[in-house]
Amino acid sequence: MAKKQTLEEIVKVEFRDCRFHADCMALMVKKYRNYDKWINVALAITSSSSIASWAIWNEYGKIWGFIIALSQVITALKPLFPFNKHVHTLNTHCYKQEALFLELEELWFKVKDKRIGEEEARQQLTHLKKRITENEFFDDDDSFEFSKKVIDEANKMTKETLSVKYNIED
């Protein structure tokens, strides 16, 4: 028979899960910012080089023609890759997740130090879980899949944060 979890253990599980999702969102913000930056750099280089190319057009005409065509394709396709919008959406959710994490932290300390009754703590936890679930939901336009790489990195970040700041070991 499985051992019944204490309220402190239940809060700690939610605490870890909330931290993990905040770390996943932060990593995705970093990833999408990077994608957006490199697309903008590529567009800046190709548009600048297309102007500069007139000076050496005769020698490398096909290369410059390709670069100009590529910049036009990137410019046309950029709206289909709304990395900037994703950054905004994820930043908003990440900020809310961090705030919810801090509320869970406060609840965890209260439960751990027995400064709150069990019924009140369970009510607060239920309310927080609902808000966390709402925050972890994204519209269809902004659905995000966390890659294995992001999940693994977020797990490391979460484990380190919980260990160093809260002395919580898995």
Side-chain angles (χ1 to χ4, degrees):
M1 180 170 270
K3 177 187 156 202
K4 184 180 176 188
Q5 284 185 309
T6 65
L7 181 58
E8 183 179 340
E9 290 169 332
I10 293 168
V11 173
K12 190 163 55 170
V13 167
E14 293 301 323
F15 190 58
R16 186 204 180 289
D17 191 56
C18 185
R19 175 77 263 147
F20 168 75
H21 282 95
D23 290 339
C24 281
M25 289 179 210
L27 288 168
M28 293 295 284
V29 165
K30 185 178 177 182
K31 176 181 168 180
Y32 285 129
R33 272 191 183 141
N34 198 32
Y35 287 166
D36 193 53
K37 176 183 79 175
W38 284 111
I39 285 175
N40 290 331
V41 165
L43 287 173
I45 289 170
T46 56
S47 62
S48 297
S49 65
S50 64
I51 293 166
S53 71
W54 291 110
I56 53 175
W57 183 260
N58 292 334
E59 193 170 339
Y60 301 104
K62 289 184 181 188
I63 292 172
W64 290 115
F66 175 77
I67 289 172
I68 293 168
L70 181 63
S71 72
Q72 295 302 307
V73 170
I74 292 171
T75 301
L77 292 177
K78 191 174 179 200
L80 298 176
F81 302 104
F83 299 127
N84 199 331
K85 180 181 181 286
H86 290 336
V87 167
H88 175 72
T89 299
L90 281 163
N91 257 341
T92 301
H93 283 261
C94 190
Y95 176 79
K96 287 179 185 173
Q97 194 78 5
E98 291 288 350
L100 290 164
F101 176 77
L102 292 175
E103 289 184 49
L104 268 173
E105 174 190 55
E106 183 180 4
L107 178 60
W108 181 66
F109 280 125
K110 284 179 182 177
V111 168
K112 193 173 140 203
D113 298 340
K114 300 187 183 352
R115 291 184 286 127
I116 189 171
E118 185 165 334
E119 184 59 33
E120 184 182 352
R122 287 186 185 279
Q123 287 176 354
Q124 283 185 21
L125 180 60
T126 299
H127 179 69
L128 276 169
K129 284 169 66 173
K130 286 178 185 176
R131 291 173 51 213
I132 290 167
T133 299
E134 288 170 1
N135 189 58
E136 291 173 358
F137 175 78
F138 294 92
D139 294 333
D140 290 340
D141 290 344
D142 288 310
S143 61
F144 300 101
E145 299 261 338
F146 299 132
S147 68
K148 180 170 176 14
K149 182 179 175 184
V150 167
I151 290 169
D152 290 346
E153 183 66 24
N155 271 321
K156 284 184 211 169
M157 290 169 62
T158 300
K159 187 174 183 173
E160 184 176 326
T161 299
L162 295 180
S163 175
V164 171
K165 289 187 174 182
Y166 305 100
N167 200 27
I168 296 174
E169 304 294 331
D170 281 344

